[in-house]
């Protein structure tokens, strides 16, 4: 405690230390008063003192100050509410005392009157007068009872009214506290919403904008690359087209030159040139004739009982077709392959 006191109050005057201790006690006192009603503080001062002492002692000990005792010297308010509570209790006691005193005097007077009446009745009146006196006594007694009961009912109603007013005040204070707490909760919620919006801005929106910028740059780069690639492909197609056109032109010129030379040869050699062309195309004709046999997976041969059987039969059929080619060529072109070999060549 000494170390804590040195740390807290070193260099401060005694008045400043007393002021700090007083403010600490007043702060805890206000905190406890917020949880008690006015009637509880006024009627049960011992409970209020104990709670303040319990809470404030631990706090002051941490500051290096030891609280020996804590007592309430007086409780008052600016509106004289507490004084009114005392007046109401005092008035109630005084009223009860006056009612008791009146009842005692009434009973004494009644007894005294009764004694005198009995004395007079015994002396002067008959039994009828005694009955009349008894009747009067009972009527007066009933009147007194009605008055007493009326006052007692009025006192009960006044007490209930005061209780209702006190409860209403307590309820109003409780509602005000709830309104303040609700306003604080709303403020805390608004701060939390603002914090979450900032967090969303930092964690989601800014990274999303950066990602969008990166994607846009990538898209622009890819677009530029595709444009350059398309331009390169177009240039390549153009150059390839020019090369193919040049090749086609060269090939056409070569074929035209070859055809011109063939035409000259045909003019010089005529039938011999025709025969050379026919002989050049005969292998292609034979290939076209035998082509379907190369794609055939299965052949079924039916024998008539004479001639070759099996593969020899197929070969014979192909050779038979080939042997008829000279006749077909002669019918189509008018050139006889067998006779050309026996004719002398004519030159121009």
């Amino acid at each position: 405690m000494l170390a804590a006191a040195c740390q807290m109050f070193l260099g401060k005057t005694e008045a400043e230390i007393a002021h700090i201790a007083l403010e600490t006690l007043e702060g805890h006192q206000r905190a406890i008063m917020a949880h008690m009603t006015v009637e509880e503080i006024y009627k049960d001062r011992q409970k209020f003192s104990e709670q303040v002492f319990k809470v404030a002692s631990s706090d002051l000990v941490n500051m290096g100050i030891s609280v020996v005792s804590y007592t309430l010297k007086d409780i008052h308010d600016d509106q004289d509410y507490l004084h009114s509570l005392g007046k109401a209790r005092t008035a109630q006691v005084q009223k009860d005392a006056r009612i008791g005193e009146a009842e005692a005097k009434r009973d004494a007077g009644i007894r005294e009157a009764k004694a005198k009446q009995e004395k007079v009745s015994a002396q002067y009146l008959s039994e009828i007068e005694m009955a009349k006196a008894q009747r009067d006594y009972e009527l007066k007694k009933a009147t007194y009872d009605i008055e007493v009961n009326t006052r007692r009912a009025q006192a009960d109603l006044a007490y209930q009214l005061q209780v209702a007013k006190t409860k209403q005040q307590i309820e109003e204070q409780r509602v005000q506290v709830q309104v303040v707490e609700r306003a604080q909760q709303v403020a805390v919620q608004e701060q939390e919403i603002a914090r979450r919006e900032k967090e969303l801005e930092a964690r989601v929106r800014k990274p999303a904008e950066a990602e969008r910028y990166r994607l846009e740059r990538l898209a622009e780069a890819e677009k530029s690359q595709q444009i350059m690639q398309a331009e390169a492909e177009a240039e390549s197609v153009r150059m390839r087209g020019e090369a193919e056109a040049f090749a086609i032109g060269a090939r056409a010129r070569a074929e035209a030159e070859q055809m011109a030379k063939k035409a000259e040869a045909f003019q010089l050699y005529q039938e011999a040139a025709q025969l050379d062309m026919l002989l050049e195309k005969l292998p292609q004709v034979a290939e076209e004739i035998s082509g379907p046999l190369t794609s055939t997976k299965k052949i079924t041969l039916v024998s008539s009982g004479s001639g070759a059987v099996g593969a020899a039969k197929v070969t014979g059929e192909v050779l038979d077709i080939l042997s008829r080619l000279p006749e077909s060529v002669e019918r189509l072109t008018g050139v006889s392959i067998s006779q050309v070999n026996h004719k002398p060549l004519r030159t121009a």
Side-chain angles (χ1 to χ4, degrees):
M1 291 178 62
L2 182 59
C6 291
Q7 185 178 1
M8 291 292 297
F9 305 115
L10 188 63
K12 297 184 181 297
T13 63
E14 185 177 351
E16 291 176 345
I17 297 173
H19 181 68
I20 292 173
L22 178 62
E23 287 183 344
T24 303
L25 287 172
E26 287 178 350
H28 291 295
Q29 181 174 282
R30 284 192 293 269
I32 294 173
M33 288 175 65
H35 298 284
M36 297 180 64
T37 63
V38 178
E39 287 75 12
E40 288 177 350
I41 297 173
Y42 185 77
K43 294 179 181 179
D44 195 356
R45 301 186 181 187
Q46 182 65 26
K47 177 181 177 181
F48 178 72
S49 299
E50 290 175 355
Q51 291 184 1
V52 174
F53 179 80
K54 180 179 178 182
V55 176
S57 295
S58 59
D59 196 3
L60 290 173
V61 166
N62 295 329
M63 298 169 62
I65 299 177
S66 175
V67 181
V68 178
S69 65
Y70 175 86
T71 57
L72 290 177
K73 183 173 65 176
D74 188 16
I75 299 177
H76 63 276
D77 63 307
D78 297 333
Q79 304 297 328
D80 290 334
Y81 179 72
L82 298 175
H83 185 64
S84 299
L85 290 177
K87 284 184 177 180
R89 181 60 183 169
T90 302
Q92 180 67 31
V93 173
Q94 291 177 355
K95 182 179 67 176
D96 294 340
R98 288 195 297 271
I99 292 174
E101 183 180 0
E103 289 177 351
K105 289 181 179 180
R106 182 198 60 192
D107 293 340
I110 290 173
R111 287 194 295 271
E112 184 179 358
K114 184 177 179 182
K116 291 179 180 180
Q117 187 176 5
E118 288 177 353
K119 181 179 179 180
V120 172
S121 297
Q123 295 176 358
Y124 302 108
L125 297 177
S126 61
E127 294 181 355
I128 296 174
E129 291 297 331
M130 292 177 61
K132 183 179 179 180
Q134 183 67 28
R135 183 194 64 188
D136 293 339
Y137 164 76
E138 291 180 354
L139 289 174
K140 290 181 180 180
K141 185 176 182 299
T143 302
Y144 293 152
D145 290 339
I146 291 172
E147 183 179 357
V148 171
N149 292 330
T150 301
R151 291 183 178 179
R152 185 179 291 111
Q154 290 176 352
D156 292 339
L157 290 175
Y159 173 76
Q160 293 177 2
L161 179 61
Q162 185 63 34
V163 170
K165 290 180 178 179
T166 303
K167 289 182 178 180
Q168 183 179 3
Q169 293 175 355
I170 295 172
E171 184 66 21
E172 290 176 353
Q173 294 177 357
R174 187 181 65 82
V175 171
Q176 291 177 357
V177 171
Q178 290 179 353
V179 170
V180 173
E181 290 178 352
R182 182 58 181 169
Q184 293 177 353
Q185 292 177 359
V186 170
V188 171
Q189 291 177 358
E190 290 177 351
Q191 294 176 359
E192 180 65 18
I193 291 171
R195 185 188 67 80
R196 290 186 177 180
E197 288 180 352
K198 292 181 180 178
E199 183 178 358
L200 178 64
E201 181 73 20
R203 291 187 178 181
V204 178
R205 291 178 181 173
K206 290 185 177 178
E209 291 178 357
E211 181 65 17
R212 184 186 64 184
Y213 179 77
R214 186 181 68 83
L215 293 177
E216 288 177 354
R217 300 287 79 77
L218 289 176
E220 291 179 358
E222 185 177 357
K223 178 181 178 182
S224 300
Q225 183 180 2
Q226 290 178 357
I227 292 173
M228 294 175 64
Q229 185 177 359
E231 292 176 351
E233 290 179 355
E235 183 66 19
S236 176
V237 170
R238 184 184 65 78
M239 295 177 66
R240 188 167 56 250
E242 291 178 355
E244 290 179 356
F246 180 78
I248 292 172
R251 187 167 55 250
R253 288 192 297 270
E255 290 179 355
E257 185 177 354
Q258 184 180 5
M259 291 298 294
K261 290 181 179 180
K262 286 184 178 181
E264 293 177 358
F266 283 147
Q267 291 177 1
L268 292 173
Y269 303 104
Q270 293 182 354
E271 292 181 357
Q274 294 177 4
L275 179 60
D276 181 66
M277 183 181 292
L278 290 175
L279 293 175
E280 184 181 354
K281 298 298 182 182
L282 282 177
Q284 297 180 5
V285 175
E287 183 180 357
E288 293 297 329
I289 293 172
S290 60
L293 294 176
T294 60
S295 61
T296 302
K297 295 182 180 179
K298 183 179 179 182
I299 298 175
T300 303
L301 300 175
V302 180
S303 178
S304 61
S306 62
V309 180
K313 180 68 174 176
V314 177
T315 305
E317 293 292 338
V318 174
L319 293 174
D320 183 57
I321 295 172
L322 293 175
S323 65
R324 298 178 184 177
L325 282 175
E327 297 178 2
S328 300
V329 171
E330 185 178 0
R331 286 196 299 269
L332 293 172
T333 63
V335 179
S336 175
I337 298 174
S338 59
Q339 293 179 2
V340 168
N341 293 330
H342 302 288
K343 292 181 179 180
L345 296 176
R346 294 179 296 177
T347 59

